[in-house]
Amino acid sequence: MAKLDIKSLGIDFEHISNILKPLSHPHRLEMIIGLFHNGCTVTQCQERMGLPQSTISQHLRVLKDAGILKGRRKGTEVCYEVIDPFALQIIDLVEKK
Amino acid sequence: MAKLDIKSLGIDFEHISNILKPLSHPHRLEMIIGLFHNGCTVTQCQERMGLPQSTISQHLRVLKDAGILKGRRKGTEVCYEVIDPFALQIIDLVEKK
DNA sequence: TACCAATATTCTTATATCCATATATTTAGA
DNA sequence: TCTAAATATATGGATATAAGAATATTGGTA
């Protein structure tokens, strides 16, 4: 029986790990799931996670640079939301786990 | 409308990122998916990926230490297989993508 | 036991990540 | 325009990760 060559699957491993890597940090994972449930602003993240503001901002930036989040300004606040479909699928798995 | 506290979800973020992190490397991702399609031994990985044997072994060790893989010895060879259910779900997503 | 193939480990260097402190930027409102 | 609140960026030190070369181990077989 001939095996299916993995290359024929046409998977872009670089791209996928560019999504997975930012998600694979406990703080970022908690932050991103918290966006749905407990508010999407930096300050709200900061309050529930108990981390310095700059640390929160930096984690959000990693997620934004990866194309996972985008920020929407409302006055002085920025509300972050998940925009990457694959990331959404992962988050779904995590929540069901 | 009262928001659901994220803590009530009881998600173990540390544990999840301990699975996600090892998966979030392009070589390891390719390796682990190749296990299904193109052989599960170190040598087979090595041949299809074109990396030094020690590099392959080290990546497999990371995955094994995380509890994602286990190795089954057959004589002089070791056949690796995925044993973590969450990892299997991720792999499933990746293949369907 | 001696040897070979397959796999694992050690060691080393280079690079990346994490996270806190301090500082800058942006926006709204007086 | 001055100020305060929210967010972003710069910097630096500690730690972690990546990967290849060299070496060690394990298992089968003569």
PDB file of all heavy atoms in Angstrom, chain A residues 62-90:
ATOM      1  N   VAL A  62       2.161  40.897  20.328  1.00  0.00           N
ATOM      2  CA  VAL A  62       2.591  39.636  19.716  1.00  0.00           C
ATOM      3  C   VAL A  62       1.425  39.006  18.966  1.00  0.00           C
ATOM      4  O   VAL A  62       1.565  38.554  17.819  1.00  0.00           O
ATOM      5  CB  VAL A  62       3.122  38.660  20.794  1.00  0.00           C
ATOM      6  CG1 VAL A  62       3.339  37.279  20.206  1.00  0.00           C
ATOM      7  CG2 VAL A  62       4.405  39.192  21.401  1.00  0.00           C
ATOM      8  N   LEU A  63       0.283  39.009  19.608  1.00  0.00           N
ATOM      9  CA  LEU A  63      -0.906  38.410  18.987  1.00  0.00           C
ATOM     10  C   LEU A  63      -1.375  39.228  17.781  1.00  0.00           C
ATOM     11  O   LEU A  63      -1.825  38.667  16.774  1.00  0.00           O
ATOM     12  CB  LEU A  63      -2.032  38.301  20.023  1.00  0.00           C
ATOM     13  CG  LEU A  63      -1.775  37.297  21.163  1.00  0.00           C
ATOM     14  CD1 LEU A  63      -2.727  37.528  22.330  1.00  0.00           C
ATOM     15  CD2 LEU A  63      -1.896  35.858  20.661  1.00  0.00           C
ATOM     16  N   LYS A  64      -1.230  40.530  17.888  1.00  0.00           N
ATOM     17  CA  LYS A  64      -1.646  41.404  16.791  1.00  0.00           C
ATOM     18  C   LYS A  64      -0.687  41.253  15.609  1.00  0.00           C
ATOM     19  O   LYS A  64      -1.121  41.132  14.465  1.00  0.00           O
ATOM     20  CB  LYS A  64      -1.681  42.856  17.277  1.00  0.00           C
ATOM     21  CG  LYS A  64      -2.483  43.787  16.396  1.00  0.00           C
ATOM     22  CD  LYS A  64      -2.486  45.201  16.952  1.00  0.00           C
ATOM     23  CE  LYS A  64      -1.078  45.739  17.106  1.00  0.00           C
ATOM     24  NZ  LYS A  64      -1.007  47.110  17.627  1.00  0.00           N
ATOM     25  N   ASP A  65       0.594  41.231  15.903  1.00  0.00           N
ATOM     26  CA  ASP A  65       1.589  41.084  14.830  1.00  0.00           C
ATOM     27  C   ASP A  65       1.431  39.766  14.078  1.00  0.00           C
ATOM     28  O   ASP A  65       1.787  39.661  12.907  1.00  0.00           O
ATOM     29  CB  ASP A  65       3.012  41.178  15.402  1.00  0.00           C
ATOM     30  CG  ASP A  65       3.363  42.618  15.777  1.00  0.00           C
ATOM     31  OD1 ASP A  65       2.568  43.523  15.468  1.00  0.00           O
ATOM     32  OD2 ASP A  65       4.428  42.829  16.380  1.00  0.00           O
ATOM     33  N   ALA A  66       0.935  38.767  14.785  1.00  0.00           N
ATOM     34  CA  ALA A  66       0.729  37.467  14.140  1.00  0.00           C
ATOM     35  C   ALA A  66      -0.555  37.451  13.330  1.00  0.00           C
ATOM     36  O   ALA A  66      -0.866  36.447  12.681  1.00  0.00           O
ATOM     37  CB  ALA A  66       0.699  36.363  15.203  1.00  0.00           C
ATOM     38  N   GLY A  67      -1.308  38.523  13.391  1.00  0.00           N
ATOM     39  CA  GLY A  67      -2.566  38.586  12.657  1.00  0.00           C
ATOM     40  C   GLY A  67      -3.705  37.882  13.362  1.00  0.00           C
ATOM     41  O   GLY A  67      -4.742  37.603  12.756  1.00  0.00           O
ATOM     42  N   ILE A  68      -3.529  37.597  14.631  1.00  0.00           N
ATOM     43  CA  ILE A  68      -4.557  36.875  15.384  1.00  0.00           C
ATOM     44  C   ILE A  68      -5.611  37.846  15.920  1.00  0.00           C
ATOM     45  O   ILE A  68      -6.788  37.539  15.931  1.00  0.00           O
ATOM     46  CB  ILE A  68      -3.904  36.081  16.540  1.00  0.00           C
ATOM     47  CG1 ILE A  68      -3.027  34.975  15.953  1.00  0.00           C
ATOM     48  CG2 ILE A  68      -4.955  35.516  17.483  1.00  0.00           C
ATOM     49  CD1 ILE A  68      -2.183  34.244  16.968  1.00  0.00           C
ATOM     50  N   LEU A  69      -5.145  39.003  16.350  1.00  0.00           N
ATOM     51  CA  LEU A  69      -6.053  40.010  16.894  1.00  0.00           C
ATOM     52  C   LEU A  69      -6.041  41.257  16.025  1.00  0.00           C
ATOM     53  O   LEU A  69      -5.086  41.502  15.299  1.00  0.00           O
ATOM     54  CB  LEU A  69      -5.602  40.437  18.297  1.00  0.00           C
ATOM     55  CG  LEU A  69      -5.532  39.418  19.409  1.00  0.00           C
ATOM     56  CD1 LEU A  69      -5.108  40.106  20.696  1.00  0.00           C
ATOM     57  CD2 LEU A  69      -6.865  38.735  19.582  1.00  0.00           C
ATOM     58  N   LYS A  70      -7.105  42.016  16.168  1.00  0.00           N
ATOM     59  CA  LYS A  70      -6.996  43.398  15.746  1.00  0.00           C
ATOM     60  C   LYS A  70      -7.628  44.291  16.809  1.00  0.00           C
ATOM     61  O   LYS A  70      -8.524  43.863  17.545  1.00  0.00           O
ATOM     62  CB  LYS A  70      -7.620  43.630  14.370  1.00  0.00           C
ATOM     63  CG  LYS A  70      -9.072  43.983  14.369  1.00  0.00           C
ATOM     64  CD  LYS A  70      -9.475  44.590  13.034  1.00  0.00           C
ATOM     65  CE  LYS A  70     -10.954  44.945  13.043  1.00  0.00           C
ATOM     66  NZ  LYS A  70     -11.729  44.214  12.066  1.00  0.00           N
ATOM     67  N   GLY A  71      -7.120  45.496  16.911  1.00  0.00           N
ATOM     68  CA  GLY A  71      -7.610  46.415  17.930  1.00  0.00           C
ATOM     69  C   GLY A  71      -8.521  47.466  17.322  1.00  0.00           C
ATOM     70  O   GLY A  71      -8.282  47.931  16.211  1.00  0.00           O
ATOM     71  N   ARG A  72      -9.549  47.780  18.065  1.00  0.00           N
ATOM     72  CA  ARG A  72     -10.511  48.779  17.603  1.00  0.00           C
ATOM     73  C   ARG A  72     -10.547  49.890  18.644  1.00  0.00           C
ATOM     74  O   ARG A  72     -10.888  49.664  19.798  1.00  0.00           O
ATOM     75  CB  ARG A  72     -11.866  48.105  17.500  1.00  0.00           C
ATOM     76  CG  ARG A  72     -12.945  48.888  16.820  1.00  0.00           C
ATOM     77  CD  ARG A  72     -14.301  48.195  17.011  1.00  0.00           C
ATOM     78  NE  ARG A  72     -14.342  46.850  16.430  1.00  0.00           N
ATOM     79  CZ  ARG A  72     -14.534  46.601  15.120  1.00  0.00           C
ATOM     80  NH1 ARG A  72     -14.673  47.605  14.284  1.00  0.00           N
ATOM     81  NH2 ARG A  72     -14.577  45.362  14.673  1.00  0.00           N
ATOM     82  N   ARG A  73     -10.192  51.060  18.231  1.00  0.00           N
ATOM     83  CA  ARG A  73     -10.160  52.169  19.188  1.00  0.00           C
ATOM     84  C   ARG A  73     -11.544  52.711  19.462  1.00  0.00           C
ATOM     85  O   ARG A  73     -12.318  52.923  18.517  1.00  0.00           O
ATOM     86  CB  ARG A  73      -9.297  53.308  18.637  1.00  0.00           C
ATOM     87  CG  ARG A  73      -7.928  53.380  19.237  1.00  0.00           C
ATOM     88  CD  ARG A  73      -7.372  54.797  19.325  1.00  0.00           C
ATOM     89  NE  ARG A  73      -6.966  55.058  20.688  1.00  0.00           N
ATOM     90  CZ  ARG A  73      -5.736  54.849  21.144  1.00  0.00           C
ATOM     91  NH1 ARG A  73      -4.798  54.396  20.361  1.00  0.00           N
ATOM     92  NH2 ARG A  73      -5.467  55.094  22.409  1.00  0.00           N
ATOM     93  N   LYS A  74     -11.814  52.945  20.763  1.00  0.00           N
ATOM     94  CA  LYS A  74     -13.039  53.658  21.137  1.00  0.00           C
ATOM     95  C   LYS A  74     -12.637  54.729  22.117  1.00  0.00           C
ATOM     96  O   LYS A  74     -12.512  54.471  23.310  1.00  0.00           O
ATOM     97  CB  LYS A  74     -14.044  52.715  21.790  1.00  0.00           C
ATOM     98  CG  LYS A  74     -14.698  51.750  20.813  1.00  0.00           C
ATOM     99  CD  LYS A  74     -15.617  50.753  21.519  1.00  0.00           C
ATOM    100  CE  LYS A  74     -16.224  49.786  20.493  1.00  0.00           C
ATOM    101  NZ  LYS A  74     -16.904  48.630  21.114  1.00  0.00           N
ATOM    102  N   GLY A  75     -12.411  55.910  21.589  1.00  0.00           N
ATOM    103  CA  GLY A  75     -11.899  56.969  22.446  1.00  0.00           C
ATOM    104  C   GLY A  75     -10.500  56.631  22.908  1.00  0.00           C
ATOM    105  O   GLY A  75      -9.630  56.305  22.098  1.00  0.00           O
ATOM    106  N   THR A  76     -10.334  56.640  24.188  1.00  0.00           N
ATOM    107  CA  THR A  76      -9.004  56.381  24.710  1.00  0.00           C
ATOM    108  C   THR A  76      -8.705  54.901  24.893  1.00  0.00           C
ATOM    109  O   THR A  76      -7.565  54.506  25.092  1.00  0.00           O
ATOM    110  CB  THR A  76      -8.818  57.140  26.043  1.00  0.00           C
ATOM    111  OG1 THR A  76      -7.686  56.643  26.711  1.00  0.00           O
ATOM    112  CG2 THR A  76     -10.026  56.961  26.921  1.00  0.00           C
ATOM    113  N   GLU A  77      -9.741  54.082  24.800  1.00  0.00           N
ATOM    114  CA  GLU A  77      -9.547  52.647  24.976  1.00  0.00           C
ATOM    115  C   GLU A  77      -9.369  51.937  23.647  1.00  0.00           C
ATOM    116  O   GLU A  77      -9.767  52.444  22.598  1.00  0.00           O
ATOM    117  CB  GLU A  77     -10.755  52.045  25.694  1.00  0.00           C
ATOM    118  CG  GLU A  77     -10.961  52.551  27.115  1.00  0.00           C
ATOM    119  CD  GLU A  77     -12.160  51.892  27.760  1.00  0.00           C
ATOM    120  OE1 GLU A  77     -13.057  51.444  27.024  1.00  0.00           O
ATOM    121  OE2 GLU A  77     -12.190  51.832  29.001  1.00  0.00           O
ATOM    122  N   VAL A  78      -8.794  50.738  23.710  1.00  0.00           N
ATOM    123  CA  VAL A  78      -8.710  49.892  22.529  1.00  0.00           C
ATOM    124  C   VAL A  78      -9.321  48.549  22.867  1.00  0.00           C
ATOM    125  O   VAL A  78      -8.947  47.918  23.858  1.00  0.00           O
ATOM    126  CB  VAL A  78      -7.255  49.702  22.077  1.00  0.00           C
ATOM    127  CG1 VAL A  78      -7.198  48.745  20.900  1.00  0.00           C
ATOM    128  CG2 VAL A  78      -6.624  51.038  21.717  1.00  0.00           C
ATOM    129  N   CYS A  79     -10.263  48.137  22.061  1.00  0.00           N
ATOM    130  CA  CYS A  79     -10.896  46.838  22.273  1.00  0.00           C
ATOM    131  C   CYS A  79     -10.316  45.844  21.266  1.00  0.00           C
ATOM    132  O   CYS A  79     -10.344  46.069  20.061  1.00  0.00           O
ATOM    133  CB  CYS A  79     -12.402  46.957  22.066  1.00  0.00           C
ATOM    134  SG  CYS A  79     -13.272  45.398  22.299  1.00  0.00           S
ATOM    135  N   TYR A  80      -9.781  44.764  21.792  1.00  0.00           N
ATOM    136  CA  TYR A  80      -9.158  43.760  20.929  1.00  0.00           C
ATOM    137  C   TYR A  80     -10.121  42.616  20.648  1.00  0.00           C
ATOM    138  O   TYR A  80     -10.880  42.201  21.519  1.00  0.00           O
ATOM    139  CB  TYR A  80      -7.895  43.224  21.598  1.00  0.00           C
ATOM    140  CG  TYR A  80      -6.742  44.188  21.486  1.00  0.00           C
ATOM    141  CD1 TYR A  80      -6.492  45.120  22.483  1.00  0.00           C
ATOM    142  CD2 TYR A  80      -5.937  44.194  20.354  1.00  0.00           C
ATOM    143  CE1 TYR A  80      -5.452  46.032  22.368  1.00  0.00           C
ATOM    144  CE2 TYR A  80      -4.901  45.095  20.220  1.00  0.00           C
ATOM    145  CZ  TYR A  80      -4.666  46.013  21.231  1.00  0.00           C
ATOM    146  OH  TYR A  80      -3.637  46.905  21.105  1.00  0.00           O
ATOM    147  N   GLU A  81     -10.028  42.116  19.415  1.00  0.00           N
ATOM    148  CA  GLU A  81     -10.847  40.949  19.084  1.00  0.00           C
ATOM    149  C   GLU A  81     -10.074  40.010  18.162  1.00  0.00           C
ATOM    150  O   GLU A  81      -9.183  40.433  17.425  1.00  0.00           O
ATOM    151  CB  GLU A  81     -12.155  41.373  18.428  1.00  0.00           C
ATOM    152  CG  GLU A  81     -11.952  42.124  17.133  1.00  0.00           C
ATOM    153  CD  GLU A  81     -13.270  42.558  16.495  1.00  0.00           C
ATOM    154  OE1 GLU A  81     -14.258  41.824  16.628  1.00  0.00           O
ATOM    155  OE2 GLU A  81     -13.293  43.623  15.850  1.00  0.00           O
ATOM    156  N   VAL A  82     -10.460  38.764  18.218  1.00  0.00           N
ATOM    157  CA  VAL A  82      -9.778  37.736  17.421  1.00  0.00           C
ATOM    158  C   VAL A  82     -10.298  37.798  15.994  1.00  0.00           C
ATOM    159  O   VAL A  82     -11.506  37.829  15.774  1.00  0.00           O
ATOM    160  CB  VAL A  82     -10.053  36.333  18.001  1.00  0.00           C
ATOM    161  CG1 VAL A  82      -9.327  35.284  17.194  1.00  0.00           C
ATOM    162  CG2 VAL A  82      -9.639  36.283  19.464  1.00  0.00           C
ATOM    163  N   ILE A  83      -9.371  37.812  15.051  1.00  0.00           N
ATOM    164  CA  ILE A  83      -9.813  37.856  13.658  1.00  0.00           C
ATOM    165  C   ILE A  83      -9.314  36.671  12.833  1.00  0.00           C
ATOM    166  O   ILE A  83      -9.759  36.471  11.716  1.00  0.00           O
ATOM    167  CB  ILE A  83      -9.363  39.153  12.954  1.00  0.00           C
ATOM    168  CG1 ILE A  83      -7.843  39.315  13.037  1.00  0.00           C
ATOM    169  CG2 ILE A  83     -10.070  40.358  13.543  1.00  0.00           C
ATOM    170  CD1 ILE A  83      -7.311  40.439  12.175  1.00  0.00           C
ATOM    171  N   ASP A  84      -8.410  35.876  13.374  1.00  0.00           N
ATOM    172  CA  ASP A  84      -7.905  34.748  12.585  1.00  0.00           C
ATOM    173  C   ASP A  84      -8.776  33.505  12.782  1.00  0.00           C
ATOM    174  O   ASP A  84      -8.998  33.070  13.907  1.00  0.00           O
ATOM    175  CB  ASP A  84      -6.460  34.443  12.983  1.00  0.00           C
ATOM    176  CG  ASP A  84      -5.896  33.313  12.158  1.00  0.00           C
ATOM    177  OD1 ASP A  84      -5.422  33.573  11.042  1.00  0.00           O
ATOM    178  OD2 ASP A  84      -5.978  32.143  12.611  1.00  0.00           O
ATOM    179  N   PRO A  85      -9.243  32.946  11.664  1.00  0.00           N
ATOM    180  CA  PRO A  85     -10.172  31.811  11.740  1.00  0.00           C
ATOM    181  C   PRO A  85      -9.551  30.564  12.390  1.00  0.00           C
ATOM    182  O   PRO A  85     -10.209  29.875  13.163  1.00  0.00           O
ATOM    183  CB  PRO A  85     -10.507  31.514  10.276  1.00  0.00           C
ATOM    184  CG  PRO A  85      -9.996  32.664   9.494  1.00  0.00           C
ATOM    185  CD  PRO A  85      -8.931  33.324  10.282  1.00  0.00           C
ATOM    186  N   PHE A  86      -8.304  30.301  12.052  1.00  0.00           N
ATOM    187  CA  PHE A  86      -7.652  29.127  12.629  1.00  0.00           C
ATOM    188  C   PHE A  86      -7.488  29.302  14.136  1.00  0.00           C
ATOM    189  O   PHE A  86      -7.743  28.375  14.916  1.00  0.00           O
ATOM    190  CB  PHE A  86      -6.294  28.889  11.971  1.00  0.00           C
ATOM    191  CG  PHE A  86      -5.586  27.661  12.466  1.00  0.00           C
ATOM    192  CD1 PHE A  86      -6.116  26.404  12.257  1.00  0.00           C
ATOM    193  CD2 PHE A  86      -4.385  27.771  13.152  1.00  0.00           C
ATOM    194  CE1 PHE A  86      -5.476  25.262  12.719  1.00  0.00           C
ATOM    195  CE2 PHE A  86      -3.728  26.640  13.616  1.00  0.00           C
ATOM    196  CZ  PHE A  86      -4.271  25.387  13.394  1.00  0.00           C
ATOM    197  N   ALA A  87      -7.093  30.488  14.549  1.00  0.00           N
ATOM    198  CA  ALA A  87      -6.972  30.771  15.984  1.00  0.00           C
ATOM    199  C   ALA A  87      -8.311  30.567  16.687  1.00  0.00           C
ATOM    200  O   ALA A  87      -8.368  30.009  17.791  1.00  0.00           O
ATOM    201  CB  ALA A  87      -6.480  32.199  16.199  1.00  0.00           C
ATOM    202  N   LEU A  88      -9.379  30.969  16.023  1.00  0.00           N
ATOM    203  CA  LEU A  88     -10.711  30.783  16.611  1.00  0.00           C
ATOM    204  C   LEU A  88     -11.021  29.304  16.818  1.00  0.00           C
ATOM    205  O   LEU A  88     -11.612  28.920  17.824  1.00  0.00           O
ATOM    206  CB  LEU A  88     -11.770  31.424  15.716  1.00  0.00           C
ATOM    207  CG  LEU A  88     -11.919  32.942  15.868  1.00  0.00           C
ATOM    208  CD1 LEU A  88     -12.795  33.510  14.766  1.00  0.00           C
ATOM    209  CD2 LEU A  88     -12.507  33.295  17.239  1.00  0.00           C
ATOM    210  N   GLN A  89     -10.586  28.496  15.863  1.00  0.00           N
ATOM    211  CA  GLN A  89     -10.824  27.058  16.001  1.00  0.00           C
ATOM    212  C   GLN A  89     -10.062  26.483  17.196  1.00  0.00           C
ATOM    213  O   GLN A  89     -10.574  25.648  17.938  1.00  0.00           O
ATOM    214  CB  GLN A  89     -10.401  26.337  14.717  1.00  0.00           C
ATOM    215  CG  GLN A  89     -11.313  26.614  13.538  1.00  0.00           C
ATOM    216  CD  GLN A  89     -10.888  25.828  12.311  1.00  0.00           C
ATOM    217  OE1 GLN A  89      -9.829  26.079  11.723  1.00  0.00           O
ATOM    218  NE2 GLN A  89     -11.684  24.853  11.920  1.00  0.00           N
ATOM    219  N   ILE A  90      -8.819  26.935  17.352  1.00  0.00           N
ATOM    220  CA  ILE A  90      -8.019  26.477  18.489  1.00  0.00           C
ATOM    221  C   ILE A  90      -8.682  26.881  19.806  1.00  0.00           C
ATOM    222  O   ILE A  90      -8.838  26.072  20.727  1.00  0.00           O
ATOM    223  CB  ILE A  90      -6.604  27.094  18.452  1.00  0.00           C
ATOM    224  CG1 ILE A  90      -5.883  26.764  17.147  1.00  0.00           C
ATOM    225  CG2 ILE A  90      -5.794  26.639  19.657  1.00  0.00           C
ATOM    226  CD1 ILE A  90      -5.407  25.356  17.040  1.00  0.00           C
TER     227      ILE A  90
END
